[in-house]
Amino acid sequence: KNQVEQSPQSLIILEGKNCTLQCNYTVSPFSNLRWYKQDTGRGPVSLTIMTFSENTKSNGRYTATLDADTKQSSLHITASQLSDSASYICVVTPQAGTALIFGKGTTLSVSS
Amino acid sequence: DVKVTQSSRYLVKRTGEKVFLECVQDMDHENMFWYRQDPGLGLRLIYFSYDVKMKEKGDIPEGYSVSREKKERFSLILESASTNQTSMYLCASSLSPRRHTEAFFGQGTRLTVV
């Protein structure tokens, strides 16, 4: 069964610190893997998208990595800000079919 | 800017009412999706559509139906609302996942059924 597992479920860090969120997936073969940021009460917004042949993709202070051999992705946030407080969702698109497969997300709280 | 617009941010409906949630996208996307999002469960796919008048059931279609009469509009219908359908509903659209383009989400509709 295609699954996407994220860890940790929640995380609290101090402003200015770095953090790394994990995503493990069993979807194979897959077309692409995305990371979304979802602020409370809002819809998800795309941060990065990587194909199976890409290893890393950056978007400002956000850097996503992908290891297709181990079926793992990570999202690294550098010099965190209060506005980074949100849920981060890992999403995988299988090669077969249309529907996306979502992880349950990691809730990040950045405190001052 | 791609826009996915959902007709309401907040809705309160009574048990048994018929509820329509509307979603419009302005980028000529082929695929449109309806999800519900509940704490601890993440996003779950209700229905999706890959073309006008085409629809496919997602993981939790029971109690819902959809309509896609025009490419830009995808409607979610709760035939007889129940309290267990209280949730955040998210609409999304994408050109095609296999073209490595992203999916864009609407702002969400928080539905409360009382």
Side-chain angles (χ1 to χ4, degrees):
Chain A
K1 183 180 177 184
N2 288 329
Q3 287 187 310
V4 175
E5 302 284 344
Q6 291 188 243
S7 62
Q9 189 173 3
S10 61
L11 182 63
I12 302 172
I13 62 173
L14 288 175
E15 187 178 13
K17 297 295 186 182
N18 303 335
C19 67
T20 300
L21 314 180
Q22 300 290 346
C23 172
N24 295 339
Y25 60 91
T26 60
V27 184
S28 183
F30 75 95
S31 178
N32 55 64
L33 184 147
R34 318 157 197 239
W35 283 93
Y36 284 88
K37 178 187 179 188
Q38 185 177 21
D39 293 316
T40 301
R42 313 291 293 188
V45 174
S46 176
L47 292 175
T48 64
I49 179 169
M50 292 182 289
T51 67
F52 57 84
S53 61
E54 294 179 291
N55 300 120
T56 186
K57 186 71 69 79
S58 290
N59 178 1
R61 294 180 297 102
Y62 301 100
T63 299
T65 63
L66 175 63
D67 186 333
D69 291 333
T70 61
K71 296 186 172 57
Q72 294 180 326
S73 177
S74 63
L75 181 69
H76 187 73
I77 304 174
T78 305
S80 61
Q81 300 176 358
L82 297 177
S83 59
D84 292 332
S85 295
S87 283
Y88 293 84
I89 305 171
C90 176
V91 184
V92 178
T93 304
Q95 277 197 7
T98 303
L100 310 175
I101 299 176
F102 289 80
K104 292 181 181 176
T106 292
T107 300
L108 174 66
S109 299
V110 180
S111 60
S112 56
Chain B
D1 266 3
V2 174
K3 277 217 175 119
V4 179
T5 304
Q6 294 182 228
S7 51
S8 306
R9 286 292 308 277
Y10 301 96
L11 272 180
V12 180
K13 296 292 182 180
R14 295 194 180 279
T15 301
E17 274 193 80
K18 190 168 186 177
V19 181
F20 292 86
L21 302 183
E22 305 286 345
C23 176
V24 177
Q25 51 95 0
D26 65 359
M27 281 300 290
D28 203 34
H29 282 176
E30 299 164 3
N31 302 311
M32 296 188 75
F33 308 82
W34 274 107
Y35 298 90
R36 63 178 284 177
Q37 186 176 32
D38 301 288
L41 297 178
L43 278 89
R44 293 180 292 167
L45 180 64
I46 305 171
Y47 268 97
F48 68 98
S49 168
Y50 50 88
D51 202 352
V52 175
K53 296 192 185 297
M54 306 301 287
K55 59 186 179 184
E56 293 276 346
K57 291 181 180 179
D59 299 319
I60 51 164
E62 296 78 19
Y64 303 94
S65 62
V66 291
S67 171
R68 193 161 180 205
E69 295 297 318
K70 294 184 178 181
K71 192 173 186 180
E72 67 270 19
R73 187 179 297 269
F74 193 34
S75 304
L76 179 69
I77 304 156
L78 287 65
E79 295 290 342
S80 177
S82 63
T83 55
N84 63 12
Q85 292 178 310
T86 292
S87 186
M88 172 73 135
Y89 289 88
L90 289 162
C91 173
S93 75
S94 70
L95 186 59
S96 168
R98 284 184 292 285
R99 294 185 201 176
H100 310 307
T101 57
E102 62 183 285
F104 294 88
F105 285 84
Q107 77 276 27
T109 296
R110 184 161 294 282
L111 172 67
T112 302
V113 182
V114 298

